[in-house]
Amino acid sequence: MRKHLALFGSGRGSNGEAIYKAIEAGHINGEIVLIISDRPHVGIVEKGRAWHIPVHIVDPANYGIEAAWTQAMLDLLQEYEVEGILLAGYMRILPPTFVQAYRGNILNIHPSLLPAFTGLQAQKQALLKGVKYTGCTVHFVDEGMDTGPIIAQAVVPVYEDDTVDTLSTRILHEEHRIYPEAVRLFCEDALNIVGSRVVIKKQAIIK
Ligand code: GAR
């Protein structure tokens, strides 16, 4: 059975597109059955419509209290029988009750080598700190901000003449490689969470 996946995004949607293409190419035993965005006029929404995938705009500002926003998202996930949630440039912290409902089944990509540079503008934080290497991380989502068990990471060098744009582009290239690969492993049930670590089943080594 192909795993039912929901894509959550707030912006451009390039990671969503990398995953979509990997699915189309037959590399992932899953399908994106639903896209949820908190913003109506962004790339991920346009892409989802072009791919003929149901897109729902769920903006917390329209729900008053957090419990109502949470329930709206949970109702949609139930309707589409979603088993895995992929945050791809989704710029909100999910409520704890939501995370608890799908614990171990929510993945996120972050543009730093976690646990360094959590939160917004991770690439700018890396430049300001003067690190020589940074990168990206795919991890399971827990109640914290960018703190859940790490599934995959890729390292990129930081050059002296880098700007936020050049560094972000170099990191993004790696994001598009490791996120689909992590989703592939997730869809094969090859990722075991053991305490705060992710153990990858031996027959499904990261490519
Ligand atoms: C990506 O660089 C992703 O790592 C980052 O937002 C960008 C979304 O790009 N996510 C975060 O910073 C989450 N804290 P995309 O919409 O083109 O995939």
Side-chain angles (χ1 to χ4, degrees):
M1 268 287 280
R2 300 217 294 170
K3 229 186 241 289
H4 278 194
L5 305 170
L7 204 54
F8 280 44
S10 305
R12 178 178 53 188
S14 71
N15 276 290
E17 183 168 6
I19 294 163
Y20 174 80
K21 284 184 173 165
I23 290 172
E24 288 294 290
H27 296 151
I28 294 174
N29 189 24
E31 70 177 303
I32 303 168
V33 295
L34 167 68
I35 292 174
I36 289 183
S37 179
D38 52 338
R39 300 168 70 195
H41 305 297
V42 289
I44 189 65
V45 169
E46 285 163 21
K47 286 178 197 293
R49 296 208 169 113
W51 300 331
H52 305 290
I53 294 173
V55 177
H56 290 263
I57 310 301
V58 185
D59 180 351
N62 295 334
Y63 292 90
I65 57 167
E66 187 174 275
W69 168 44
T70 303
Q71 197 55 51
M73 292 191 289
L74 291 176
D75 287 348
L76 278 169
L77 296 174
Q78 199 173 14
E79 181 185 338
Y80 289 90
E81 299 181 342
V82 168
E83 302 163 276
I85 297 165
L86 311 176
L87 309 186
Y90 186 68
M91 297 312 220
R92 289 184 186 273
I93 306 283
L94 289 165
T97 47
F98 183 93
V99 173
Q100 279 148 25
Y102 280 87
R103 184 183 298 286
N105 294 291
I106 311 174
L107 280 67
N108 182 43
I109 179 101
H110 184 76
S112 77
L113 291 175
L114 291 173
F117 311 132
T118 58
L120 295 175
Q121 297 190 300
Q123 303 93 334
K124 186 175 177 187
Q125 293 183 55
L127 279 180
L128 289 174
K129 192 68 186 175
V131 294
K132 302 297 185 192
Y133 292 92
T134 182
C136 50
T137 303
V138 182
H139 65 98
F140 283 113
V141 172
D142 65 9
E143 287 83 352
M145 188 174 63
D146 304 319
T147 52
I150 290 170
I151 301 166
Q153 293 186 302
V155 179
V156 307
V158 182
Y159 300 131
E160 281 175 9
D161 59 353
D162 262 333
T163 62
V164 171
D165 274 357
T166 58
L167 181 58
S168 299
T169 301
R170 194 173 310 120
I171 295 171
L172 196 63
H173 185 76
E174 292 300 302
E175 293 185 36
H176 295 167
R177 185 175 65 79
I178 67 168
Y179 205 2
E181 176 59 8
V183 175
R184 180 182 75 77
L185 294 170
F186 172 72
C187 288
E188 288 175 14
D189 294 319
L191 303 174
N192 289 334
I193 300 175
V194 182
S196 58
R197 304 176 66 188
V198 174
V199 177
I200 299 169
K201 283 191 188 156
K202 285 222 164 38
Q203 69 270 26
I205 291 302
I206 286 216
K207 283 178 189 160

